[in-house]
Structures are given as structure tokens and as C-alpha cells.
Amino acid sequence: MKKIISNERTMFFASVLLGMISLTGCNKDVQTVTPALPGNEFLTTVELQLVNTSNPLDAPLAISTQISPYTGTYQGDSVYSNLALLNLKANSTYTGQVIILDETQHPIDTVSTEILARENYHLFFFQPSPIDSSNFIISSTTTNIPIADWNVGVPASDTTAGGVSDDEILITPTNPGLPLNLTVTRTDHDNNNPPLQIGLQDEFVTGTASTGILRVVLRHQPNAKNGTYPPGSSDLDITYAIKIQ
């Protein structure tokens, strides 16, 4: 709290000081201080929580975490993906949400709440793989990741749950194979003008039986979010094994 002093002596020195400022201030360059943009989020665990719209008891949960199941401590150079697997029913629709946690905090910090508070800075992408080239569309409303940002050439030892390679695969007429019959659509929007999608709330739609991976990326895009992948940096980039049966 400021202390207010009002006597003639103080007023005299104040007027002298103001005069000095007016004489010397013009010799200095004007500096504008821009507040720092918020940095990337710290997180340890990402959960995909799904519920079958036709059967609420069908509620698969997949967890990717950097908290060791052996010691219960954070391991910054490791990802534990033994629970990063979704078993989904064929030809079904699921509502889904992404829950992000910082389990180094006590109580556990729900980082997805902070992401929602900064919804205008964040955008999720969901890349099923293998994917049929006819379904691979890049736009401001699709969740596909541009091929230039795909994980390619990952060593065979780099796997996610179920031993599925992290590589994305594009199936074309010259590259026969079975695609992962999964489509993910974001269902929530921020308060940009016009509103842009976020991806904390989603819809998962399955087709016929198939297997593959789902790469999930959260882009951090302060003052740059436009519905596309390139701006900004990544808060998270992980994969889940998917089995549709």
C-alpha cells in the first residue's frame, strides 16, 4: 500500500524531480515490455476415457504415463505404455475425453483443466494408422497430422502397447494393407472468433475389425492457433495401441 505525504517540502522536491525527469527522459529510448507467452505444460500422464454411446458399461480406458509402475516416481526419459491400449467394439460410436495429469503434485494436478482455461492456445490431433489415403484429409477441422510431421523410420524396438510400431502408415493402391478403421472428431470449441476446435472432448467412431495405432499430439499455439498443425510446439506426443473387434 502506498503512503501518501502532503506537505510543502515534499511537494517542492517532487516538482524538482519531475523537472529532472522531463529533461533527461527524452534522451532515453522508449522500451515496451511484452508479457511472456505461457510455456509448454508439464505433465506426466495422459488418459483416454471412452464410453460406448449404445452401452455405457463398455468404457475403455487407455493410460500413457511417465510414472514408474515399479517405484511410483516420475521418469522423465521413459514412457510406460503397458496400459496404453484401447479395445473397441466394431461399428460403434464412443464419446471420449482426454484427461491430462501431473502426478508429481500432491494432490494430483489435473492439467487438462489448465489447458481448458487456455483453450485458445491448445489443439489436439489424433492420427490413426495405418490410414487409407482416401480418408487422409488435412484441414482446419480434421484431426490428421501432416505427413511431413509423421514419425517415420522409428526403430522396431520403439514400440507402444501391444508391440505395435510407432510409424504412421499411409495405405495407397500401390501399398495394399488393412487400415485402422477409426475416425476421431473433436466435439468441443474455444472462444476464438470464429471458434476453433480443441479436442479435450471427442467422438470415436469405429468400422470393421482392425488393429493399429493412434498417435495423439497436443499442440501449444499461443497467439498462433488457426486450426492447423504447424504453429507452435507440442505439449505431448504419444501413441496408443488400438484393437477393434
Side-chain angles (χ1 to χ4, degrees), residues 48-62 85-98 126 181-187 200-208 214 242-245:
L48 298 183
Q49 299 181 357
L50 275 62
V51 177
N52 191 321
T53 58
S54 298
N55 178 11
L57 297 179
D58 178 17
L61 169 67
L85 170 64
L86 284 176
N87 287 302
L88 305 177
K89 300 295 184 183
N91 302 308
S92 299
T93 299
Y94 293 81
T95 58
Q97 62 177 332
V98 184
F126 302 87
N181 294 312
L182 175 67
T183 302
V184 183
T185 304
R186 310 180 196 99
T187 58
L200 283 168
Q201 304 290 330
D202 307 282
E203 181 181 75
F204 288 63
V205 178
T206 64
T208 56
L214 179 67
I242 308 295
K243 186 175 183 179
I244 300 172
Q245 57 187 351

Side-chain angles (χ1 to χ4, degrees), residues 5 22 41-42 101 108:
I5 304 174
S22 65
E41 316 297 338
F42 180 82
L101 306 172
I108 294 172

Side-chain angles (χ1 to χ4, degrees), residues 144-198:
N144 290 322
I145 298 172
I147 291 179
D149 292 289
W150 278 14
N151 289 325
V152 294
V154 177
S157 59
D158 241 347
T159 58
T160 187
V164 181
S165 171
D166 284 346
D167 287 10
E168 282 101 345
I169 300 172
L170 183 69
I171 295 177
T172 64
T174 59
N175 179 26
L178 295 176
L180 175 61
N181 294 312
L182 175 67
T183 302
V184 183
T185 304
R186 310 180 196 99
T187 58
D188 51 358
H189 294 80
D190 61 24
N191 57 16
N192 274 302
N193 187 18
L196 298 171
Q197 297 175 355
I198 308 169

Side-chain angles (χ1 to χ4, degrees), residues 6-189:
S6 58
N7 57 55
E8 293 181 0
R9 186 177 181 182
T10 302
M11 292 176 66
F12 169 77
F13 285 114
S15 63
V16 172
L17 179 60
L18 286 171
M20 292 174 63
I21 292 174
S22 65
L23 289 172
T24 60
C26 60
N27 294 324
K28 295 183 179 180
D29 295 332
V30 176
Q31 295 182 352
T32 301
V33 178
T34 302
L37 294 174
N40 291 87
E41 316 297 338
F42 180 82
L43 54 98
T44 64
T45 305
V46 183
E47 300 181 356
L48 298 183
Q49 299 181 357
L50 275 62
V51 177
N52 191 321
T53 58
S54 298
N55 178 11
L57 297 179
D58 178 17
L61 169 67
I63 303 173
S64 177
T65 184
Q66 290 182 282
I67 300 297
S68 169
Y70 311 106
T71 65
T73 58
Y74 171 69
Q75 303 296 319
D77 58 351
S78 301
V79 175
Y80 300 93
S81 54
N82 54 308
L83 298 177
L85 170 64
L86 284 176
N87 287 302
L88 305 177
K89 300 295 184 183
N91 302 308
S92 299
T93 299
Y94 293 81
T95 58
Q97 62 177 332
V98 184
I99 302 297
I100 303 174
L101 306 172
D102 175 4
E103 295 188 272
T104 66
Q105 301 298 314
H106 301 284
I108 294 172
D109 182 21
T110 304
V111 181
S112 43
T113 301
E114 300 167 18
I115 291 171
L116 182 60
R118 297 176 175 174
E119 58 188 15
N120 289 4
Y121 292 172
H122 291 97
L123 183 59
F124 282 88
F125 288 83
F126 302 87
Q127 183 60 66
S129 178
I131 185 170
D132 192 300
S133 58
S134 63
N135 294 327
F136 184 75
I137 300 171
I138 299 294
S139 76
S140 60
T141 58
T142 62
T143 67
N144 290 322
I145 298 172
I147 291 179
D149 292 289
W150 278 14
N151 289 325
V152 294
V154 177
S157 59
D158 241 347
T159 58
T160 187
V164 181
S165 171
D166 284 346
D167 287 10
E168 282 101 345
I169 300 172
L170 183 69
I171 295 177
T172 64
T174 59
N175 179 26
L178 295 176
L180 175 61
N181 294 312
L182 175 67
T183 302
V184 183
T185 304
R186 310 180 196 99
T187 58
D188 51 358
H189 294 80

